[in-house]
Amino acid sequence: MKSGQPRAVAERSGWIFAAIGDRDTHEPCETEIFAGPNRQLHLEGYVRAGLGDVAENILDTTHTSVVHQDYLRKPGDRRCVEAQISSGDGWISATYPAGAAPSGWGARLLGAHRYTITDTFRAPAIAEVTYCRDGRMAFVARFRLTPARPGETYVAATIAVPGDGAWADLKLAALKLFFQRIFAEDRAILELIGANRAAHGPAPLVFAPQDVLRPGIEAILSGRTPCAAPRRVLLKV
């Protein structure tokens, strides 16, 4: 709604943040993705799906073997891995061992299969995926989510890799191609959710066992602290 009143704005990590609603809103809590030299790619777009559904899709490691098979996950290469769940006031995360990382030809080309994955959701609505090896970050994807209108979410993503040489540039160029395809596949599924829910009328939202972060995401979006969850969950990815 146009009010004619100025909005507080701030520039962080290549994006312009504008306060919505309360004019006393604090500046965005936007930390640096990498402490040292790095290369970053910015992508944006709208998805006809609710914010919680988009966040869960971004942070759901288990769906890669079905939705992104062949290039992200080799067919028939699903395996059992243990996710470690942590949470606190305004955040929840799941950490997976290296065996959970994508193992398809595209992922192996980038070395993804060697890394530990941490999926994090934090207030107000930031989904972040990090790949680490020996305690050092090798890849970060940060998604800032904003409700655009009922049933539609604006996504502002930053993809980053460490380094400032030719190899970092090449890796980022390859990641751009992969993520454009991944986004297209995920969007096609996400945009079916509305019709699926409409077909089931007022049925309540049910969390499946593999939805390890979704209850916490819903709690954070509603202003609550995530409830204590099992600290270790065995999943097949």
Side-chain angles (χ1 to χ4, degrees):
M1 179 181 296
K2 296 181 180 180
S3 64
Q5 297 296 322
R7 290 181 176 176
V9 297
E11 188 278 332
R12 295 287 189 277
S13 304
W15 297 98
I16 300 296
F17 294 84
I20 298 174
D22 187 356
R23 292 181 60 193
D24 294 328
T25 301
H26 295 295
E27 289 191 359
C29 182
E30 181 77 8
T31 59
E32 290 294 332
I33 291 181
F34 282 104
N38 63 91
R39 288 285 193 265
Q40 297 186 6
L41 168 69
H42 297 94
L43 300 171
E44 64 175 332
Y46 292 85
V47 181
R48 291 193 303 275
L51 199 152
D53 293 322
V54 176
E56 180 184 35
N57 177 267
I58 292 169
L59 303 177
D60 175 23
T61 294
T62 64
H63 85 281
T64 59
S65 58
V66 179
V67 181
H68 311 303
Q69 60 180 310
D70 296 324
Y71 66 99
L72 272 191
R73 183 83 58 181
K74 291 190 295 185
D77 194 35
R78 298 182 69 190
R79 64 195 68 182
C80 290
V81 298
E82 188 176 71
Q84 298 186 20
I85 313 301
S86 302
S87 63
D89 186 19
W91 67 275
I92 187 168
S93 70
T95 299
Y96 301 87
S103 56
W105 66 266
R108 295 181 75 87
L109 179 65
L110 300 172
H113 61 292
R114 299 192 300 265
Y115 300 124
T116 297
I117 305 172
T118 299
D119 297 333
T120 303
F121 186 81
R122 64 177 182 272
I126 298 173
E128 187 166 282
V129 179
T130 62
Y131 281 41
C132 296
R133 187 181 188 188
D134 299 327
R136 299 181 62 182
M137 288 198 301
F139 163 75
V140 178
R142 180 178 294 174
F143 302 82
R144 306 156 190 89
L145 311 177
T146 305
R149 57 181 60 89
E152 185 174 57
T153 301
Y154 171 69
V155 182
T158 298
I159 314 300
V161 296
D164 56 3
W167 173 241
D169 290 335
L170 181 62
K171 197 169 187 178
L172 199 61
L175 284 169
K176 181 178 181 179
L177 294 176
F178 282 126
F179 270 89
Q180 286 175 334
R181 178 169 177 176
I182 289 168
F183 290 163
E185 292 175 341
D186 283 340
R187 177 182 282 111
I189 290 177
L190 284 166
E191 294 187 347
L192 294 174
I193 291 176
N196 182 62
R197 286 193 177 143
H200 292 83
L205 182 64
V206 177
F207 303 125
Q210 66 267 30
D211 298 334
V212 294
L213 295 181
R214 186 58 182 268
I217 291 172
E218 293 297 328
I220 292 168
L221 291 177
S222 63
R224 296 179 286 109
T225 298
C227 296
R231 294 188 59 83
R232 296 176 183 273
V233 179
L234 191 63
L235 299 168
K236 196 168 187 178
V237 301

